[in-house]
Amino acid sequence: MQKNINIQNKKARFQYEILDKYTAGIVLTGTEIKSIRSGKASITESFCEFSENGELFVVNMTIQEYAFGNYYNHKPKATRKLLLNKKELKKLNKAVQNTGLTIIPLRLFINDKGYAKLNIALAKGKKLFDKRETIKDRDNKRDLDRIKKIYK
């Protein structure tokens, strides 16, 4: 079992422009938290959406089945409820409905108390030319770092 769990969505910052960040708790069962603590989770293809009664759920988050679980084991791609304040939920719901933004998970981690938390972000999708600009900036930064390293 790993000591420090930090599962990140690396594609998110490339495909989306991050506008606002929040930290949310997740409602999990026993075998789900055990799988997360052993590092068997992925949030690369996941997103968040609201239900009819205003609750926020994460969809498509993969938590692999617990190896030592019996018939109480969980489904790997189930939707899981996120826990936020009412004020934050209303603000996010308003932004998603009015302006067409999306909510994506950025990082899954376990805090000091042992609870699984999910960093989510209100994001706007990037266009193709924005992605090309990001690639160009990354390449230029890499080249500059190489040149600095040579002349040190």
Side-chain angles (χ1 to χ4, degrees):
M1 189 154 52
Q2 296 178 5
K3 181 135 179 132
N4 191 8
I5 303 301
N6 188 14
I7 299 165
Q8 293 187 354
N9 187 356
K10 295 178 183 176
K11 291 182 180 181
R13 296 192 190 277
F14 179 71
Q15 293 178 344
Y16 297 96
E17 179 184 341
I18 308 299
L19 302 177
D20 205 3
K21 294 181 185 177
Y22 298 94
T23 301
I26 313 172
V27 177
L28 297 172
T29 62
T31 56
E32 288 173 334
I33 189 66
K34 288 180 180 185
S35 290
I36 289 174
R37 284 186 181 141
S38 61
K40 308 269 188 193
S42 172
I43 57 172
T44 53
E45 301 167 353
S46 59
F47 61 95
C48 301
E49 66 182 8
F50 283 93
S51 66
E52 295 84 29
N53 52 358
E55 295 177 336
L56 187 63
F57 288 89
V58 63
V59 180
N60 233 4
M61 181 170 117
T62 305
I63 300 176
Q64 294 177 3
E65 290 186 350
Y66 185 56
F68 303 108
N70 49 15
Y71 58 91
Y72 292 116
N73 227 338
H74 63 278
K75 295 177 185 167
K77 287 216 177 220
T79 59
R80 294 165 178 93
K81 184 177 177 182
L82 295 179
L83 305 171
L84 285 168
N85 295 334
K86 280 185 183 180
K87 186 175 165 184
E88 293 173 336
L89 284 172
K90 286 180 183 178
K91 184 178 177 184
L92 283 172
N93 198 0
K94 189 183 219 182
V96 168
Q97 287 180 350
N98 294 343
T99 58
L101 300 175
T102 185
I103 303 170
I104 54 167
L106 296 177
R107 187 171 79 114
L108 176 66
F109 64 98
I110 295 180
N111 67 358
D112 298 334
K113 293 182 180 181
Y115 297 126
K117 299 286 184 175
L118 190 67
N119 281 348
I120 58 174
L122 189 63
K124 178 180 164 187
K126 283 186 182 178
K127 303 284 186 206
L128 183 61
F129 60 88
D130 291 333
K131 292 179 186 178
R132 287 183 187 148
E133 191 72 28
T134 305
I135 293 170
K136 192 188 317 181
D137 290 343
R138 192 183 316 142
D139 290 343
N140 287 340
K141 185 180 182 303
R142 188 182 314 123
D143 292 341
L144 281 173
D145 288 343
R146 286 179 185 161
I147 291 170
K148 286 179 184 177
K149 189 175 180 180
I150 291 172
Y151 289 110
K152 277 191 174 182

